[in-house]
């Protein structure tokens, strides 16, 4: 049988991603920049400046704003006056000075836009993933979640989709075994799905690890037949997620991008993880 830690999928959800009315936190942006701690101070300042432009909607920023960014991230700032002087002297220009403060030169901001610019749903997913650990008590699921967040922030979208499914599958399995009534209902429908005369007839689930005796599609079907899914749409979402998982989990030319990862994560977390409690 295929282990849920290996077989993973995502979907194109029928529900639009949830939009969040918050801006990205500085710590989220820093986490999304690979090797941020190793950047030179001039580069850190340019990144902080871009964050203030993009996510705080500031037309300009001051040295005090940049110092606050350093302090927020518990990083000891350099001599900002000297560093800003060096940045202003760079050619081609990377930083411009106005009466109100400083702003990134157009080409510098454009390069950072291309590298780190996020659409609305990315910010929503970041917020949702950040808040999710507080709602999860199981340590294994916390690990899946941390890996999903790390993959997503580093733009490893295939891996983020896979870990999102890992989290969801594990959540469903534990949700079933944690309640005697749900477990009995699930077990009572196994034979009808695997075949009453098959070698697996008589298979019963007692603990989380027993789900490895079943295919993931079988588990979804049994949950649906046993009335353990909130709706028929939930079953469709899981089936579509499983199909996409198979596409991204194996070597292929199938492309996975941010919108696909957004859709997979929001669909699974909102429609399954948050619903099955």
């Amino acid at each position: 049988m295929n282990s849920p830690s290996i077989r993973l999928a995502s979907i194109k959800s029928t529900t639009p991603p949830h939009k969040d009315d918050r801006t990205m936190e500085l710590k989220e942006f820093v986490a999304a920049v690979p090797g941020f701690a190793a950047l030179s101070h001039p580069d850190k300042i340019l990144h902080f400046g871009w964050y203030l432009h993009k996510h705080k909607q500031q037309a300009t920023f001051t040295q005090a704003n940049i110092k606050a960014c350093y302090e927020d991230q518990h990083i000891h700032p350099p001599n900002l006056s000297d560093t800003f002087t060096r940045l202003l002297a760079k050619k081609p220009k990377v930083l411009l000075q106005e009466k109100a403060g400083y702003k990134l030169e157009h080409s510098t901001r454009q390069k950072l836009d291309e590298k780190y610019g996020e659409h609305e749903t990315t910010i929503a997913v970041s917020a949702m993933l950040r808040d999710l650990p507080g709602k999860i008590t199981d340590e294994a699921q916390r690990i899946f979640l941390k890996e999903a967040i790390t993959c997503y922030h580093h733009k490893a979208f295939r891996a983020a989709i896979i870990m999102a499914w890992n989290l969801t599958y594990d959540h469903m399995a534990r949700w079933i075994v944690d309640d005697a009534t749900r477990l009995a209902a699930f077990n009572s429908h196994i034979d009808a799905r695997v075949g009453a005369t098959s070698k697996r007839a008589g298979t019963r689930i007692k603990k989380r690890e027993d789900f490895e005796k079943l295919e993931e599609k079988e588990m979804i079907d049994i949950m649906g037949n046993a009335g353990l899914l909130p709706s028929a749409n939930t079953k469709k979402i899981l089936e579509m997620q499983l199909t996409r998982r198979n596409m991204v989990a194996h070597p292929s030319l199938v492309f996975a991008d941010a919108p696909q990862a957004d859709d997979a994560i929001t669909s699974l977390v909102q429609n399954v993880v948050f619903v099955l409690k």
Side-chain angles (χ1 to χ4, degrees):
M1 298 302 157
N2 291 304
S3 168
S5 64
I6 299 175
R7 301 189 63 224
L8 301 162
S10 71
I11 68 166
K12 183 81 174 177
S13 172
T14 55
T15 303
H18 168 70
K19 287 191 176 182
D20 195 75
D21 59 3
R22 62 183 287 284
T23 56
M24 174 175 275
E25 297 292 340
L26 180 58
K27 64 181 179 181
E28 293 174 315
F29 169 62
V30 168
V33 178
F36 184 88
L39 294 177
S40 66
H41 283 299
D43 280 338
K44 282 189 175 76
I45 289 172
L46 294 179
H47 279 71
F48 283 144
W50 181 85
Y51 169 80
L52 294 171
H53 281 324
K54 177 73 174 179
H55 294 289
K56 293 301 182 182
Q57 304 299 310
Q58 292 185 203
T60 60
F61 54 86
T62 65
Q63 290 187 23
N65 293 148
I66 297 299
K67 183 179 180 182
C69 289
Y70 271 95
E71 291 174 347
D72 182 82
Q73 294 304 296
H74 304 287
I75 303 173
H76 183 70
N79 184 315
L80 291 177
S81 180
D82 287 349
T83 309
F84 269 79
T85 297
R86 286 189 281 120
L87 280 169
L88 289 169
K90 276 183 171 291
K91 293 184 179 180
K93 287 287 188 181
V94 295
L95 187 69
L96 304 177
Q97 186 173 20
E98 297 182 348
K99 288 184 179 180
Y102 304 89
K103 64 181 180 181
L104 298 185
E105 189 275 334
H106 175 74
S107 61
T108 301
R109 180 167 178 175
Q110 188 174 48
K111 288 177 182 177
L112 291 172
D113 278 341
E114 293 172 356
K115 194 169 185 179
Y116 303 113
E118 295 183 301
H119 48 81
E120 292 177 358
T121 53
T122 301
I123 295 175
V125 171
S126 251
M128 182 183 64
L129 290 179
R130 187 202 66 226
D131 295 337
L132 187 56
K135 301 178 181 181
I136 292 180
T137 58
D138 182 79
E139 183 59 28
Q141 292 180 30
R142 284 180 181 274
I143 292 172
F144 293 148
L145 176 60
K146 289 177 182 178
E147 291 189 19
I149 294 173
T150 299
C151 293
Y152 187 85
H153 282 162
H154 286 80
K155 303 186 185 301
F157 299 121
R158 281 176 176 258
I161 290 169
I162 287 171
M163 294 313 302
W165 176 266
N166 249 345
L167 167 64
T168 306
Y169 190 95
D170 187 75
H171 181 82
M172 291 191 300
R174 293 181 187 280
W175 179 78
I176 292 169
V177 299
D178 284 347
D179 181 87
T181 300
R182 292 194 291 260
L183 183 58
F186 185 90
N187 279 330
S188 69
H189 286 77
I190 291 178
D191 285 354
R193 177 59 180 84
V194 302
T197 59
S198 74
K199 292 182 179 180
R200 289 185 294 147
T203 296
R204 296 294 180 265
I205 304 299
K206 295 181 180 178
K207 56 185 183 299
R208 164 66 182 85
E209 290 74 19
D210 290 341
F211 282 96
E212 295 186 12
K213 301 174 183 177
L214 300 171
E215 297 285 348
E216 290 165 314
K217 178 59 169 63
E218 291 175 336
M219 176 191 182
I220 294 169
D221 288 342
I222 294 167
M223 289 182 72
N225 294 337
L228 296 175
L229 294 176
S231 69
N233 285 335
T234 306
K235 186 171 186 289
K236 290 179 181 178
I237 287 171
L238 288 167
E239 289 171 339
M240 288 188 290
Q241 290 283 11
L242 185 59
T243 298
R244 181 175 291 276
R245 188 289 307 280
N246 289 336
M247 294 172 66
V248 302
H250 304 292
S252 71
L253 297 178
V254 174
F255 178 73
D257 58 12
Q260 292 171 336
D262 289 346
D263 187 73
I265 295 170
T266 54
S267 179
L268 284 170
V269 173
Q270 292 176 344
N271 295 309
V272 183
V273 176
F274 282 169
V275 175
L276 300 181
K277 296 180 180 179

